[in-house]
Structures are given as structure tokens and as C-alpha cells.
Amino acid sequence: MSMDLPRHWRLKQARYRLEGSHCEDCGHTFFPSRLICPECRSENVVAHQFGGRGRVYSYSTVYNPPAGYDEYVPYTVALVQLDEGPLVTAQLTDVDPEDVEIDMPVEMVTRRLRQYGEDGLIVYGYKFRPAWEAA
Amino acid sequence: MMKIKKIIGVLSYRPRREFQAAKEQPPSTHGYDFHHSRGEFDGLSSPSTEVIIMRNVSIVGIGQTPVNEHWDKSLRELATRAVVGAMKDAGAGPDDVDALYVGNMASGAFTGQEHLGALVADYAGLQGVEAVKVEAACGAGGAAFRQGYLAVAGGMKDVVVVVGVEKMTEKLNGDATSILATAADADYEVDHGLSFVALNALLMRRYMHEYDLTHIDFAPFAINAHRNAVHNENAMFPFEVDESRVKTARMIADPITLLDSSPIADGAAAVVLCSADTARTFTQHPVRVLASSLATDTVAIHNRRDPLFLDGAAKSVAKAYDQAGVGPNDINFFELHDAFSIMAALSLEASGFFDRGQAVREAQNCEISRQGRIPIQTLGGLKARGHPVGATGMYQIVEASMQLRGEAGGAQLPNARLGMTQNIGGSGATVVTHILEAER
Ligand SMILES: [Zn+2]
């Protein structure tokens, strides 16, 4: 199986910094980054780093994983609504599946997403863990 | 014989109550009857500015293989059996066929074989014919049918064959899970460990939260599909299930269990299409394609305006209702894309049958059963007939045609005149809707 090296390398800004885009014309921020604003179709779009805090919009625990994720089963995935608005699909970490709730505050951390075989590429990226609410 | 698309005159929008009258208009003097009008449909009194004359299109032959784990049959054999079945049903010979469209999601990944247009044409006895594969994830079958429809409606082809085929059981379960996940966003969904089931589980969990439902409330979707599949000799799971079985089904991605999901399977289904004015030379029971539409939405769920509303489906059905001059109350039955129970609920709501958040309650009130307001999955649907992904859209078309031809056996609905099919690629990113009518 290919390790998709260039693809993972290309995604580093999104994966490590939660970098999306900001539209200079309509003010919309979105994740992941795009060349064209999905709201107003403007090409006047610049990089935008998200704060990494949000709330659980929905979640699920995976028992039948895609190939390459077997060793992590069961793991919990979620749609996280960032404080800035956009939804992000990610795994939850540092929490038992039964303790997860919709609207739970979470924050981004960088963790191992997967490894391609014993000596293969290790892919890191964002996951979200429970967070204390800001005072 | 070359047919040229002509643009003529003015035709005002036909409101729904004039539906019957509009379809009884005599054919135009050009020898084509027409139904597709295009323009600004902004009110009953304001006429559209132009009408593009296209040919009406009819289904004149149908064929299918049983949906199953066909360990003994290859992809090319499955496709050939469906194509030959449809051509025999139509009484069409190889020389009648002008083009072949093959709907398929992932033959390269599942079987190591791409280039299905030429391969299936060769093995199905259509050597040399124009042939191409159409891909739109699990919406491939419906998308291929639409390509066949466009070719005939636009006058570029007189007779075409469309086949949907998928051979999924060459791979182990985990590999199949990975291949199905290619319908989702590789960089931003699948790399984070999301299976296709998990994505639907996220939708189902949120839906349960918003509308105060529990898992067992969704049981009527599985129970209805299985009950109807009993009468389908081509169904993979032609047996009934009850609520206790739904309760104890194995968890796959919380809250989705095995009985909320459609099975991995092999199968192929095909039709022969021709222009409506020549349909009677092939068959005495043609089925008219009243509307055909395809709309898209974001591939990734996280980029949707509202994950619990299928914008793509709403756009797709709006165009279809508009083209056919009908509304949801005119549809006698609906073959929808119940890859998961939650998709059935979201599809019913986006298609105008039930209000938002009401589909599960309406299903509990038996409104999706044969006697209900809108019967769905009349021959088992994806859930119980089986879901050979790229073939599914064509099974929907073939099954709807059986209902409209009065050939659905024990599953036959009385008064099946208008049927709708909706084939979905991904979790709502490609939505293909067709409205079919019995020609009597
Ligand atoms: Zn913008």
C-alpha cells in the first residue's frame, strides 16, 4: 500500500496548525482551505489559523474501521463546531466514549492519526480533547 | 438519422393541477412530443421565455441479476447477464443499440478492473458500440441512467443500454470499508479514521439529539424494507425482521447497527432506453421517464450549510418535480437511498414528503408502508434487496419499472402510476432523482 507521502506533506498546515481560509471580501472563515470562497465565490482568500476550541456537534464510536485503523478500535470520532463557526471532522482523545456528550467543550491537540505498517510513515494531525470552558 | 434540438416558441409553466391536461397534449408537428420546458418558473401567470424541444424517453426493457455474494460470477458476467436480460425483455438486438453506459463506483479498487465501458460492451455482445463508465460513488447507477436519458432525449442516440454493476465481495470486509470510504473526503474525513458508516452515524446521532429520538425509533425503516423484500426473488435478505431483532443487532458505529445498514453485495441491473415515439416497436408496456435530474452538495459533511438537511436532494427533487409538472402528493411510491436508516429519513424530508424532523415519526405511523402516504422500498430497498453500490441506482429504476408495469408480484401496489427513484452518492453529495410513469 502506498504511504501517500506527498499528500500528507501537503496537508501539514491544516493538520498541525488547523489552518483554513478567510475571505477578505465577505469575511467568511472556512475549514479546510480553498482557493474560492464557498459563500461569495471570491478568490480574494488568505490563510487563517483557527483557535482550536469548539464544541461537539455530533460523535460516534467506530468498531468496524477502514483498513489501517484496526489497532485503534474502538475510537471516537466527532464533528466539532469551532468557536469561529466551521465544523471539523476529527477524532476525540483523552476521553472515554461513554463520557462524550453533544455540546461538550473541546480543544485541539496534535496526536498520531495512524501509522503505515511497523516501519512506515507515522501521520500526525489534529484531534480534540475535553476542555474547560473559558471563564 | 440526425435529430436536431430545436428551440421554439413559448410555453407557460404547467401548474400541478394541469398536469394531466399537459401530458395529453398531442405531439408537436416535428414528430417529437415534448415535456421539458426551461425558463423562469416564477409564477402561474408568467410564461417561460423559451422551450427546448427534446424527445420523450421511455424504458422498454429491464434486466437484473439477483443481489447476493456471487462468489462464482465475475463483474463482466454479472453485467452481461443484466444487459442481455434487458435487451431480451425489449426484443432488441445488438444492431439496435447505439450506446452503452456502465454505472459503477469502484471496480478498480474492488476487482483491479477499470475501463468497464469497453469491457462490458465486448462481453455483452455489443462489440464496437460507443461505451463509457459513469462514476458518482454510490450514485453511479442513477448517474449512468441520466447519461443514457440525456443522449436519447437530446436526439444524439436512438436506443441505449444502461447497466449498473458492482462486484464488492472480492475484498475482505476491512478493505471494502476503505473502498466505500473513497466516496467521502479522503483528506479531511477518511484520514481521521472515519468510515462511511461513521459519517452516517454522526448524522444519526445529531438527528436523534435534535428531535429527541432513540435508536429503536428508527426500526420501522428496517422492518418495512425487509417485509417488502419477502416478495422480491432478487433480494439478498428476503425475510422479515422485528423490533427485538433491531434492538439486539450488532453495533458498527454507534448508534448505527447492522440493521440500520445496507449489506455489501454483488449485482447488476440494466435497462434499454429509446425515444418514446418508437417505444411501442419494442414493448407493449413502456415506462416513460417524466423527469431526470442530478444535483450536488459538498462531499464533506462538515462543509454543509446544515448537515441534517440534504440540500442536494432538495435541489434534485425540485428540478424533477418541475420537469414532470408534479409534486410530492402526486407520487405513488418512492424508491429512495436507504444505505442507512438516517438517509431514508433525510431523503424523505428533503424530498418534500414530510416536514423536517418528522420522517421517523411518520415511519412509526406506517406512512412509509404499502398502505401509507408514501410507500418506500417496495421491493426491499438497499437495506434488504442489497446495496451493490454502483448498481443500486439501476436496481431502483428496474424495480420502479416493475411496479409501473404491474409486474411486482406480491409486492405490487394497486394504482402504481407515478414512481420516483432517488440515488445518492456519498452522504448526500450527488443526488439523482427520476420520476417514471406507466404508459398505458
Ligand atoms: Zn467570501
Side-chain angles (χ1 to χ4, degrees):
Chain A
M1 187 201 237
S2 141
M3 288 192 267
D4 297 347
L5 265 169
R7 190 167 70 86
H8 292 304
W9 173 78
R10 272 197 316 273
L11 288 165
K12 60 187 183 300
Q13 297 295 359
R15 292 254 173 92
Y16 303 156
R17 303 181 64 228
L18 207 59
E19 188 177 286
S21 309
H22 173 77
C23 174
E24 303 254 86
D25 283 344
C26 76
H28 190 63
T29 55
F30 40 95
F31 184 89
S33 61
R34 297 164 178 243
L35 297 176
I36 298 174
C37 173
E39 285 295 307
C40 75
R41 276 37 168 203
S42 165
E43 294 177 43
N44 193 8
V45 161
V46 296
H48 175 83
Q49 185 174 355
F50 286 91
R53 296 179 71 94
R55 288 172 182 274
V56 171
Y57 174 88
S58 190
Y59 63 96
S60 172
T61 301
V62 177
Y63 300 93
N64 278 32
Y69 294 84
D70 310 70
E71 59 190 288
Y72 312 106
V73 164
Y75 54 90
T76 300
V77 296
L79 281 167
V80 172
Q81 182 141 37
L82 300 173
D83 286 349
E84 296 90 338
L87 289 170
V88 178
T89 305
Q91 287 186 31
L92 299 183
T93 187
D94 304 348
V95 62
D96 287 333
E98 53 268 29
D99 293 335
V100 178
E101 289 178 355
I102 285 178
D103 288 335
M104 187 172 90
V106 291
E107 62 187 8
M108 176 202 158
V109 289
T110 301
R111 293 289 162 83
R112 174 194 296 210
L113 293 179
R114 68 169 296 189
Q115 181 165 7
Y116 286 82
E118 217 158 272
D119 304 317
L121 174 71
I122 300 174
V123 180
Y124 291 94
Y126 50 81
K127 293 189 182 181
F128 287 80
R129 70 178 177 198
W132 297 107
E133 293 203 56
Chain B
M1 181 173 57
M2 183 70 184
K3 284 143 196 126
I4 298 167
K5 187 165 69 180
K6 296 189 178 69
I7 300 177
I8 62 141
V10 171
L11 178 73
S12 56
Y13 172 50
R14 305 186 307 264
R16 194 190 309 170
R17 62 179 173 275
E18 288 175 28
F19 167 49
Q20 196 58 38
K23 281 197 282 93
E24 284 165 4
Q25 285 173 345
S28 78
T29 51
H30 304 285
Y32 313 131
D33 47 348
F34 60 90
H35 61 271
H36 183 89
S37 48
R38 195 156 79 182
E40 293 296 318
F41 296 144
D42 53 359
L44 303 185
S45 58
S46 91
S48 60
T49 52
E50 74 177 40
V51 174
I52 298 181
I53 297 281
M54 293 172 58
R55 301 194 296 178
N56 275 326
V57 178
S58 298
I59 298 165
V60 293
I62 56 177
Q64 62 181 317
T65 73
V67 177
N68 217 323
E69 295 174 336
H70 287 291
W71 307 112
D72 58 335
K73 291 186 184 62
S74 64
L75 182 149
R76 68 189 77 181
E77 180 178 346
L78 292 167
T80 297
R81 286 177 184 275
V83 168
V84 168
M87 288 176 59
K88 282 187 176 158
D89 183 49
D95 294 338
D96 294 322
V97 177
D98 299 319
L100 169 72
Y101 298 89
V102 182
N104 173 267
M105 171 174 168
S107 61
F110 279 124
T111 70
Q113 177 71 62
E114 285 291 5
H115 209 170
L116 294 192
L119 183 82
V120 175
D122 181 13
Y123 275 79
L126 298 171
Q127 288 87 357
V129 78
E130 174 174 337
V132 66
K133 162 171 161 169
V134 179
E135 185 271 319
C138 359
F145 182 83
R146 175 159 167 78
Q147 292 307 308
Y149 167 84
L150 290 174
V152 176
M156 297 299 286
K157 305 289 178 196
D158 287 325
V159 179
V160 307
V161 174
V162 186
V163 60
V165 60
E166 205 75 59
K167 175 77 190 165
M168 303 173 73
T169 59
E170 309 280 55
K171 294 285 190 224
L172 298 173
N173 207 316
D175 293 329
T177 301
S178 295
I179 295 166
L180 289 172
T182 61
D185 187 320
D187 292 354
Y188 298 101
E189 291 180 328
V190 184
D191 271 352
H192 293 271
L194 278 284
S195 62
F196 200 60
V197 188
L199 289 164
N200 282 273
L202 293 173
L203 295 177
M204 185 168 174
R205 167 91 64 200
R206 183 72 195 191
Y207 189 98
M208 288 163 56
H209 173 79
E210 294 270 344
Y211 302 116
D212 196 21
L213 298 165
T214 62
H215 173 259
I216 199 66
D217 291 328
F218 288 79
F221 290 108
I223 292 169
N224 175 68
H226 277 270
R227 183 183 295 138
N228 291 340
V230 168
H231 306 287
N232 181 357
E233 62 183 17
N234 292 305
M236 187 168 179
F237 296 139
F239 50 79
E240 298 207 26
V241 300
D242 58 17
E243 202 170 283
S244 71
R245 201 153 161 191
V246 174
K247 253 180 201 152
T248 55
R250 183 166 63 85
M251 190 61 72
I252 301 176
D254 195 11
I256 288 183
T257 68
L258 201 60
L259 275 177
D260 297 307
S261 318
S262 50
I264 285 171
D266 306 326
V271 299
V272 178
L273 289 173
C274 72
S275 73
D277 50 10
T278 59
R280 299 268 170 193
T281 64
F282 289 105
T283 179
Q284 287 317 300
H285 39 63
V287 171
R288 183 74 59 89
V289 185
L290 273 192
S292 169
S293 83
L294 188 156
T296 56
D297 196 354
T298 68
V299 166
I301 289 173
H302 53 239
N303 287 132
R304 305 255 169 94
R305 182 182 59 82
D306 177 351
L308 294 188
F309 189 76
L310 298 178
D311 273 339
K315 283 178 188 150
S316 180
V317 293
K319 287 196 283 185
Y321 289 148
D322 198 20
Q323 185 186 351
V326 305
N329 291 333
D330 301 307
I331 304 294
N332 300 129
F333 67 97
F334 183 23
E335 296 299 334
L336 57 76
H337 195 91
D338 59 334
F340 302 95
S341 308
I342 181 65
M343 270 293 136
L346 296 180
S347 170
L348 282 163
E349 292 172 14
S351 302
F353 292 102
F354 302 127
D355 290 337
R356 287 196 63 175
Q358 291 304 308
V360 172
R361 304 277 185 223
E362 300 283 3
Q364 288 173 319
N365 294 336
C366 297
E367 296 293 4
I368 60 168
S369 73
R370 296 165 45 76
Q371 293 77 30
R373 178 175 155 203
I374 181 67
I376 68 169
Q377 318 314 77
T378 65
L379 284 156
L382 284 61
K383 173 76 202 76
R385 170 237 297 130
H387 183 27
V389 282
T392 285
M394 288 306 300
Y395 275 98
Q396 294 175 319
I397 299 277
V398 166
E399 290 164 0
S401 299
M402 290 168 65
Q403 282 287 1
L404 296 169
R405 283 160 51 155
E407 297 172 356
Q412 183 63 48
L413 296 166
N415 311 319
R417 193 176 67 84
L418 272 188
M420 188 159 87
T421 65
Q422 188 175 85
N423 187 200
I424 296 183
S427 51
T430 297
V431 186
V432 198
T433 306
H434 286 96
I435 298 175
L436 308 177
E437 182 188 40
E439 287 183 43
R440 295 275 156 79

